[in-house]
Amino acid sequence: METKSRGHPRGREDYVCWLLLTLIIGVCCVRGLEMSTGKIPFLEAVNGSTVLLPCTYASCIGIENLYFKWEFNDNGTMQKLADAVIPLDHVGPTNLMVYHKRVDYVGSSKENNISILLWNVTFEDAGIYTCFGKNPKEKNKNHSAIFTLYVVEELRQVDNTLTKIIASCVGGFIAALMAFMLLKNLTLFVLAKMEEKNKECLVTSSGIDNTENGLSGSKSTPKKA
């Protein structure tokens, strides 16, 4: 009985450690490889311009022979633009292949960047682009992020009327506040000078009254007859 009671806490500690390890591994697996096309995954480009299609990857468990590719949804048909294999973190891609004549790979292994450039865009290039990744460390789970490209004849002019009105109102308010503070300080200065002058007048008037009453700063002693 004593042996069992001593071994029981040890078994509980092992169970807790095993449970924590399972949770940590589970979290890492859930947040393994992540593909991202940025906080704003869309762009409006002018016909004939060159655009950057951004994509980065991240993995809390690291990568090993990460396979990635860029695809374009051409009216329901996935058209491959580029693909490659990245052996390890911070190592450049191998077997890089570009399948589109107006596409250049501009990624950086130091920044986990696998972006591409699309030259001389046309209206046919508008649509959804997919950045796809697969990490063998995660049993080849598929991960992807999409980027939407809009192609226009010219960029729309933004109406800044409201912004200008708000800026004018704010500027006018600040100018009025500064003028008020300046006027307030000037008024206080004038009042202080007037008060100082009034005090001087009171002192001078008091001295004159004492002289007329036969006093010159001290009480006089009447002479004996």
Side-chain angles (χ1 to χ4, degrees):
M1 293 298 293
E2 292 180 359
T3 304
K4 290 184 179 180
S5 62
R6 291 175 182 175
H8 182 69
R10 180 62 182 175
R12 181 179 298 176
E13 290 178 1
D14 292 341
Y15 174 76
V16 171
C17 292
W18 176 84
L19 181 60
L20 290 175
L21 181 61
T22 303
L23 290 174
I24 292 173
I25 295 175
V27 169
C28 283
C29 289
V30 171
R31 296 192 60 188
L33 181 66
E34 293 182 357
M35 312 296 289
S36 173
T37 52
K39 295 181 180 180
I40 305 178
F42 63 87
L43 177 67
E44 190 174 85
V46 178
N47 182 33
S49 62
T50 299
V51 298
L52 174 70
L53 303 180
C55 186
T56 57
Y57 67 89
S59 175
C60 70
I61 62 174
I63 64 166
E64 184 177 349
N65 293 323
L66 167 68
Y67 172 75
F68 75 89
K69 65 179 177 179
W70 273 96
E71 291 182 320
F72 171 60
N73 189 345
D74 187 7
N75 296 321
T77 302
M78 300 305 292
Q79 177 185 354
K80 188 184 291 185
L81 303 178
D83 68 350
V85 174
I86 301 178
L88 297 169
D89 283 316
H90 309 304
V91 176
T94 60
N95 303 323
L96 176 64
M97 297 292 295
V98 177
Y99 304 96
H100 196 290
K101 62 181 180 181
R102 290 185 288 111
V103 167
D104 283 338
Y105 176 75
V106 293
S108 171
S109 57
K110 293 182 179 180
E111 300 175 356
N112 296 345
N113 190 322
I114 50 176
S115 304
I116 59 174
L117 273 181
L118 180 59
W119 297 85
N120 194 23
V121 297
T122 65
F123 292 106
E124 288 73 21
D125 294 325
I128 296 176
Y129 293 79
T130 302
C131 180
F132 171 89
K134 183 166 58 175
N135 187 12
K137 271 193 171 184
E138 300 176 21
K139 298 181 179 180
N140 291 322
K141 289 184 179 181
N142 296 334
H143 303 271
S144 61
I146 63 172
F147 188 86
T148 305
L149 177 64
Y150 302 97
V151 182
V152 295
E153 187 64 37
E154 61 180 9
L155 294 178
R156 292 172 293 180
Q157 295 293 331
V158 180
D159 188 3
N160 295 324
T161 303
L162 181 60
T163 304
K164 291 179 180 179
I165 293 175
I166 294 175
S168 298
C169 292
V170 173
F173 173 76
I174 293 175
L177 182 61
M178 291 179 65
F180 171 76
M181 295 300 295
L182 181 62
L183 182 61
K184 177 183 176 182
N185 291 335
L186 181 61
T187 303
L188 292 175
F189 177 76
V190 172
L191 290 176
K193 287 295 183 181
M194 292 179 62
E195 185 177 359
E196 184 179 349
K197 188 174 181 180
N198 289 336
K199 288 181 178 180
E200 292 178 356
C201 290
L202 288 174
V203 171
T204 304
S205 176
S206 176
I208 294 174
D209 290 342
N210 290 336
T211 302
E212 291 178 350
N213 292 328
L215 300 175
S216 58
S218 61
K219 189 175 181 180
S220 62
T221 302
K223 294 180 179 181
K224 294 182 179 181

